[in-house]
C-alpha cells in the first residue's frame, strides 16, 4: 500500500513538473502581446465568447453599456448578474462604454459636448453635456457593475463607435478614466455585412495583420450581421495568433 501511494505521489509530481515546464516554455516563446476587447452589443453570443475564452485559457477586457439584448432585457439588468460575476471570477477586466451607449456628436460652444444616447430616457435626442454630466454617464456603469458583482471596473472607458474629440477624452480623464480605442488591424469586423465581409475573410485578415501591442474590438452580439462572427472567427483567430507567438493580456496596458 505504501509503495502504491509513493508511486502515485511520484507520478503526480512528474505531471506537475511537466505542466509547469510547458507553461514556462510558452511564456519564453511568447514575444508579442495582443489585447482582446469586447463591447456589450446585443449579448447574443456572450456565453459563446465566454466559453471560448475559458477553453483557450485567455483573459479579455469587456466594455459595458446598458444595451438592449437579444432576449429583450438589458445587459446590466439583474438577469445578467451571474454572467458578469462569473467573468470577474475568471479574471477578466472591465471598462465603461457609457451607461446609455452615448454617442459623441460634436464639441459644444462653451466647453460642453453634444451627445446622442442610444438607450435610456433621452434615446435618439442630441443633448448638451458638461464635464460633470459626462462623468456621471461614464461612472454610472462602474456603480452598477459594483452593485452586480461587488467589484469595480478598471479605470478605463471606450466611447461608443469610437467617436471622440480631444475635449470628450479630456472629460473622461478628468473623471479618472483612461479612454481606450482600438488599432486599425484590431477592428475585427463583426458589425460588418456578412455577405460583403464573410467570416473567412475577416479571419484571414485579422490573423495576418494584427501586430504586437494591438488592441482588438468586437462585440458580444450584433443585430445587423446575419452570419454571426462568433464562434466562426474568434476561436480560430486565437489559435492563429497563438501560433504566431502572441500572448493575450488585459487592459489597461502595464508599463514595462
Amino acid at each position: 500500500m505504501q509503495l502504491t501511494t509513493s508511486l502515485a505521489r511520484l507520478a503526480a509530481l512528474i505531471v506537475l513538473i511537466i505542466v509547469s515546464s510547458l507553461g514556462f516554455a510558452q511564456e519564453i516563446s511568447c514575444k508579442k502581446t495582443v489585447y482582446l476587447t469586447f463591447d456589450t452589443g446585443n449579448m447574443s453570443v456572450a456565453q459563446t465568447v465566454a466559453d471560448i475564452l475559458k477553453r483557450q485559457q485567455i483573459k479579455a477586457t469587456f466594455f459595458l453599456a446598458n444595451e438592449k439584448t437579444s432576449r429583450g432585457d438589458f445587459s446590466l439588468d439583474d438577469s445578467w448578474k451571474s454572467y458578469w460575476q462569473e467573468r470577474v471570477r475568471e479574471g477578466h477586466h472591465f471598462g465603461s462604454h457609457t451607461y446609455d451607449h452615448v454617442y459623441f456628436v460634436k464639441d459644444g460652444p462653451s466647453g460642453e459636448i453634444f451627445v446622442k444616447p442610444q438607450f435610456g430616457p433621452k434615446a435618439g435626442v442630441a443633448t448638451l453635456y458638461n464635464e460633470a454630466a459626462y462623468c456621471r454617464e461614464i461612472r454610472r456603469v462602474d456603480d452598477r457593475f459594483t452593485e452586480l458583482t461587488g467589484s469595480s471596473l478598471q479605470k478605463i472607458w471606450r466611447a461608443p463607435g469610437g467617436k471622440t474629440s480631444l475635449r470628450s477624452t479630456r472629460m473622461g480623464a478628468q473623471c479618472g478614466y483612461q479612454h481606450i480605442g482600438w488599432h486599425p488591424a484590431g477592428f475585427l469586423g463583426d458589425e460588418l455585412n456578412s455577405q460583403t465581409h464573410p467570416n473567412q475573410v475577416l479571419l484571414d485578415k485579422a490573423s495576418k495583420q494584427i501586430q504586437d501591442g494591438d488592441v482588438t474590438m468586437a462585440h458580444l452580439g450584433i443585430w445587423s450581421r446575419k452570419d454571426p462572427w462568433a464562434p466562426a472567427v474568434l476561436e480560430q483567430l486565437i489559435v492563429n495568433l497563438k501560433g504566431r507567438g502572441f500572448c493575450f493580456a488585459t487592459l489597461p496596458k502595464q508599463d514595462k
Side-chain angles (χ1 to χ4, degrees):
M1 179 64 72
Q2 282 187 325
L3 180 60
T4 302
T5 303
S6 298
L7 288 174
R9 288 175 177 171
L10 180 61
L13 180 61
I14 291 172
V15 169
L16 180 61
I17 291 172
I18 291 172
V19 170
S20 299
S21 299
L22 287 173
F24 181 73
Q26 187 176 18
E27 288 181 10
I28 293 297
S29 64
C30 181
K31 302 297 185 183
K32 295 175 284 189
T33 304
V34 64
Y35 301 85
L36 287 186
T37 76
F38 297 92
D39 298 348
T40 35
N42 71 9
M43 302 293 285
S44 59
V45 294
Q47 190 59 53
T48 299
V49 169
D51 292 343
I52 290 171
L53 296 176
K54 187 173 184 179
R55 185 160 56 244
Q56 290 294 328
Q57 298 184 315
I58 63 173
K59 304 295 185 290
T61 304
F62 297 85
F63 288 91
L64 282 60
N66 193 39
E67 300 193 58
K68 187 174 182 178
T69 80
S70 58
R71 63 191 197 191
D73 54 4
F74 287 81
S75 53
L76 295 179
D77 282 351
D78 284 346
S79 49
W80 286 95
K81 183 174 183 176
S82 61
Y83 179 85
W84 296 121
Q85 287 177 333
E86 185 63 24
R87 306 292 78 76
V88 170
R89 284 193 289 269
E90 290 168 349
H92 299 287
H93 279 195
F94 307 88
S96 175
H97 198 35
T98 70
Y99 193 87
D100 285 329
H101 206 247
V102 171
Y103 284 97
F104 169 80
V105 178
K106 63 180 180 179
D107 287 340
S110 304
E112 309 95 345
I113 58 173
F114 284 99
V115 299
K116 185 177 289 187
Q118 187 179 3
F119 303 102
K122 296 183 180 180
V125 178
T127 306
L128 199 61
Y129 274 28
N130 60 19
E131 184 178 298
Y134 204 47
C135 179
R136 283 195 298 272
E137 184 64 26
I138 294 171
R139 187 170 284 156
R140 282 178 72 195
V141 181
D142 207 344
D143 294 341
R144 178 58 178 154
F145 192 70
T146 302
E147 289 177 356
L148 289 171
T149 69
S151 298
S152 298
L153 303 177
Q154 278 63 45
K155 295 302 180 183
I156 55 178
W157 74 288
R158 170 176 291 161
K163 298 180 184 298
T164 63
S165 70
L166 289 176
R167 184 180 296 175
S168 69
T169 56
R170 192 179 301 120
M171 285 179 171
Q174 289 295 320
C175 190
Y177 295 80
Q178 174 192 354
H179 185 264
I180 294 178
W182 58 87
H183 292 86
F187 177 73
L188 298 180
D190 67 322
E191 60 195 282
L192 300 175
N193 185 291
S194 56
Q195 291 186 329
T196 55
H197 298 83
N199 283 326
Q200 189 61 50
V201 171
L202 296 179
L203 172 61
D204 292 344
K205 181 179 179 182
S207 297
K208 294 173 183 176
Q209 294 186 3
I210 288 173
Q211 299 301 316
D212 185 22
D214 278 355
V215 176
T216 74
M217 189 278 294
H219 300 80
L220 297 179
I222 286 292
W223 294 103
S224 58
R225 190 170 176 85
K226 302 302 181 184
D227 186 12
W229 178 87
V233 175
L234 178 58
E235 188 149 25
Q236 190 58 53
L237 175 60
I238 292 170
V239 171
N240 292 350
L241 291 176
K242 284 181 176 179
R244 288 180 55 202
F246 278 91
C247 357
F248 297 80
T250 50
L251 293 164
K253 295 182 179 181
Q254 301 300 312
D255 294 333
K256 294 182 179 180

